[in-house]
Amino acid sequence: MPDAAAPSPASRPGPELDLRLVRYFTAVAEHLNFARAAEALHVAQPSLSRQIQRLEDALGVRLLERTPQGSRLTAAGAAFLPQAQTLLHTAQQAVRAAAPPRTITVGYVEEVVTPAVRDLRRRHPDAHVRTRHLDWDEARALPEGRVDALVVRTPLPIPDDGLDLTVLYDEPRALLVPASHLLAGKESVTPDDFAGEPLVACTGMAAVWTRRRPGHRPGAGRRPALHTPR
């Protein structure tokens, strides 16, 4: 007479799976090549092979077969792959549900950031993306942590040590002169052409963009750039 305390095969717990090993398996199954999968996972190929062997030992079946052309799924591997993908997706959803919503604050001075923010929200639907308008003299909001990224024209009025800079595009500078001025008919000018002229700063614009200091040669244009903490 069978032992009443012994669990039936259907009720016995299955092997405990390490999600990292499951992720390794899905990468090899996607590439069907251990070398390419190891490169995508940023692990050494021998280590990847050992981890796949660990997973196969835990399951008690062979999941992959090596061939001269690469690797291929066994029947057990082909049956396990969709279950593995579902398991990883479910685990990712559980992590997202448990984690607090992320808030990303993008600071800007004059630039139009709506398209970029809209794209950021589309690519990261779980994050709360907001914007914050800043005056030029509030650029310290970035190193002080009041914004996570800052879209602003260079140069910054603060040291950029510890910041990552991405140039978005270049903008040409324009010289405004009276219609009667000698330079008014020229299609382009150089800083030397108006070296002796008095320059008037525009209200609300950083002086470094509009006034020349002795010995200073302004660049060809202002460069709107994205700054983020390193």
Side-chain angles (χ1 to χ4, degrees):
M1 195 173 171
D3 186 355
S8 65
S11 64
R12 289 184 187 135
E16 293 186 5
L17 295 182
D18 185 334
L19 290 180
R20 181 172 58 94
L21 304 184
V22 176
R23 182 167 62 88
Y24 285 0
F25 163 71
T26 58
V28 178
E30 175 186 350
H31 293 279
L32 292 178
N33 184 286
F34 273 80
R36 290 197 295 268
E39 183 179 355
L41 293 166
H42 304 289
V43 299
Q45 184 177 341
S47 175
L48 177 60
S49 298
R50 289 193 298 270
Q51 303 309 320
I52 296 298
Q53 181 64 54
R54 282 184 56 197
L55 179 62
E56 291 176 328
D57 291 344
L59 295 175
V61 293
R62 189 75 177 271
L63 299 173
L64 293 154
E65 290 181 350
R66 291 181 181 268
T67 70
Q69 293 76 31
S71 302
R72 68 181 181 186
L73 291 168
T74 64
F80 179 63
L81 178 59
Q83 304 297 327
Q85 293 170 330
T86 300
L87 179 62
L88 292 174
H89 179 69
T90 301
Q92 187 178 42
Q93 285 185 317
V95 170
R96 288 178 177 174
R102 294 173 297 169
T103 299
I104 301 172
T105 303
V106 179
Y108 66 100
V109 177
E110 295 178 344
E111 292 69 24
V112 177
V113 296
T114 303
V117 170
R118 185 185 299 118
D119 182 64
L120 192 62
R121 287 171 177 159
R122 179 185 59 80
R123 291 188 288 113
H124 301 279
D126 297 329
H128 175 48
V129 183
R130 62 185 183 183
T131 60
R132 181 171 182 176
H133 182 264
L134 301 171
D135 293 330
W136 172 258
D137 56 2
E138 290 185 282
R140 294 204 62 86
L142 181 62
E144 292 174 357
R146 287 183 280 136
V147 296
D148 301 298
L150 178 61
V151 182
V152 65
R153 288 178 173 87
T154 58
L156 276 176
I158 58 174
D160 58 6
D161 296 340
L163 301 178
D164 282 329
L165 168 67
T166 301
V167 176
L168 303 178
Y169 53 89
D170 289 325
E171 285 184 333
R173 284 181 175 173
L175 177 66
L176 301 180
V177 296
S180 59
H181 197 280
L182 292 177
L183 299 177
K186 289 196 172 185
E187 292 186 1
S188 63
V189 295
T190 68
D192 290 335
D193 292 333
F194 55 92
E197 299 282 350
L199 299 183
V200 180
C202 298
T203 303
M205 182 175 290
V208 70
W209 294 343
T210 56
R211 286 187 290 210
R212 299 179 64 221
R213 299 184 300 273
H216 173 68
R217 296 176 63 87
R222 296 172 290 172
R223 314 180 80 184
L226 173 67
H227 299 261
T228 55
R230 287 178 186 165

